[in-house]
Amino acid sequence: LSENLEDPAVRGSPVAVLRSLIQPPELSAIQIAKEDLADVGAITSMHDGAAITPLGNLCIDLPMDTGLCTLVFYGVLWGCAADAVIMAAGLGFGGDPFSTPSGLVIKNERDFARSLRRSSDCRRLFDGGSYSEPMMLRALFVEWLFTFNRKRDQYTRNNKNAQYKHTSNFCSRFGYAVSPKRMGQFVTQVVEVAERVLKRCDGEPARQLKLLMAAIRFEVNEREEIVESKFEAMSDARLKEKFSKFLCNDRSKLQSLLAASFSTLTLVGTTMHGREKKEKLANSYWHWQLDAKS
């Protein structure tokens, strides 16, 4: 934006642009934001002339914090784009799909204890011993998606009513330990994030995301609009085969993806080659020798 402004006083200076606003942010807040963006690799440096990296462009496209954008970015690079989108959407849609019983609402102590146990048991079921909230949310969504497409459940109407009906029935299976409203928001967020990421990638990641959206009965048309797609109910065996084409079943890989995504270990820059590298190493060596002698 700062590069395209006509005013020469602020052109090329993001700080000048922000300070020219009616209610400009504090200078310290701008500096902290620059440091955070540089730390995660969204920009190449903390200087005003820093370039936006591919991760930075993805952060612009996605309405999420940088950690979740990094998760999606690495997911695309590691070959598990659909899984990364599901986990990021689950963490970023602004709610918890599982119920959160409150003693202020449930006055009876026994009813409150039963609701609390039901919610805890449901979380433990989908966590599967991973002790990871992103993995738990992924397992919840995959189960919702699997039952939405299986033949015997017969949600054959290709419209939002089928999705709404399935979500309600799905949550009732667990004694409404999963909230139908928030589960529906979770699904909507997955579709929106997948559609945005699809515009930024091609090849195998794009194929995975298209299969994910097709399983939710949506697709992106030639005008880049989300529209309903054709639906074919499948047996459990065929569904498992289909899901294996866009979902990763390697738990260790997914855990490594999460660890990498939420660690500030991204390096942005250029490598030194040949003579330049040898000269710098030699200079460092001689400086070390002089320091040792002194």
Side-chain angles (χ1 to χ4, degrees):
L1 174 62
S2 63
E3 294 291 341
N4 296 325
L5 293 176
E6 296 181 358
D7 187 352
V10 297
R11 185 185 302 164
S13 174
V15 174
V17 173
L18 293 172
R19 298 191 69 178
S20 65
L21 298 176
I22 297 176
Q23 293 183 331
E26 294 290 336
L27 188 60
S28 59
I30 298 174
Q31 185 63 27
I32 291 173
K34 288 163 63 177
E35 291 176 0
D36 291 342
L37 292 172
D39 283 343
V40 300
I43 55 178
T44 54
S45 70
M46 291 184 291
H47 302 297
D48 284 355
I52 300 176
T53 65
L55 171 58
N57 285 318
L58 184 64
C59 291
I60 295 173
D61 289 343
L62 298 182
M64 296 177 172
D65 62 42
T66 53
L68 298 181
C69 293
T70 304
L71 171 59
V72 174
F73 183 75
Y74 283 167
V76 171
L77 295 179
W78 289 23
C80 41
D83 301 272
V85 164
I86 292 170
M87 291 189 287
L91 293 171
F93 79 93
D96 183 358
F98 294 96
S99 64
T100 52
S102 170
L104 297 175
V105 178
I106 306 175
K107 302 299 182 181
N108 185 283
E109 291 184 359
R110 289 187 176 181
D111 290 343
F112 174 66
R114 279 195 292 266
S115 297
L116 199 61
R117 170 65 70 88
R118 195 159 49 238
S119 177
S120 178
D121 288 346
C122 191
R123 291 173 186 270
R124 190 181 301 112
L125 171 67
F126 287 107
D127 179 75
S130 64
Y131 302 103
S132 168
E133 184 179 4
M135 297 285 283
M136 176 182 67
L137 293 172
R138 174 190 175 277
L140 172 66
F141 183 85
V142 171
E143 179 65 17
W144 178 92
L145 193 63
F146 188 85
T147 52
F148 187 45
N149 286 273
R150 73 195 324 175
K151 189 172 184 178
R152 66 179 181 216
D153 287 337
Q154 296 181 352
Y155 293 106
T156 55
R157 295 182 62 190
N158 188 23
N159 53 37
K160 292 184 178 180
N161 290 333
Q163 189 181 114
Y164 175 82
K165 181 180 179 181
H166 169 63
T167 301
S168 180
N169 291 341
F170 175 80
C171 295
S172 69
R173 285 174 48 200
F174 305 101
Y176 291 101
V178 180
S179 166
K181 180 180 179 180
R182 292 195 292 270
M183 188 67 211
Q185 293 172 341
F186 183 5
V187 174
T188 300
Q189 182 78 343
V190 170
V191 174
E192 291 181 354
V193 174
E195 184 263 337
R196 289 170 183 257
V197 177
L198 193 55
K199 295 178 181 179
R200 286 282 179 183
C201 62
D202 53 17
E204 179 61 19
R207 187 190 68 84
Q208 293 178 4
L209 294 176
K210 288 178 181 179
L211 288 174
L212 171 62
M213 293 186 66
I216 315 174
R217 307 184 192 179
F218 288 107
E219 63 182 0
V220 178
N221 63 16
E222 296 178 353
R223 293 183 292 182
E224 298 186 346
E225 299 172 337
I226 299 177
V227 296
E228 295 178 357
S229 62
K230 295 180 179 179
F231 169 69
E232 177 187 2
M234 299 182 183
S235 63
D236 287 5
R238 285 191 60 195
L239 270 179
K240 290 178 181 178
E241 180 183 357
K242 180 179 179 180
F243 277 30
S244 66
K245 295 179 179 179
F246 65 92
L247 292 176
C248 176
N249 294 319
D250 188 343
R251 176 177 288 192
S252 297
K253 183 176 182 180
L254 295 177
Q255 290 174 332
S256 299
L257 170 65
L258 290 168
S261 301
F262 295 105
S263 301
T264 55
L265 300 175
T266 303
L267 298 178
V268 179
T270 57
T271 59
M272 293 183 298
H273 300 283
R275 182 177 177 182
E276 180 183 343
K277 183 176 181 180
K278 292 178 181 179
E279 288 178 353
K280 186 167 184 177
L281 289 174
N283 290 334
S284 300
Y285 174 74
W286 288 116
H287 284 301
W288 173 81
Q289 278 198 328
L290 290 173
D291 292 339
K293 290 178 181 180
S294 61

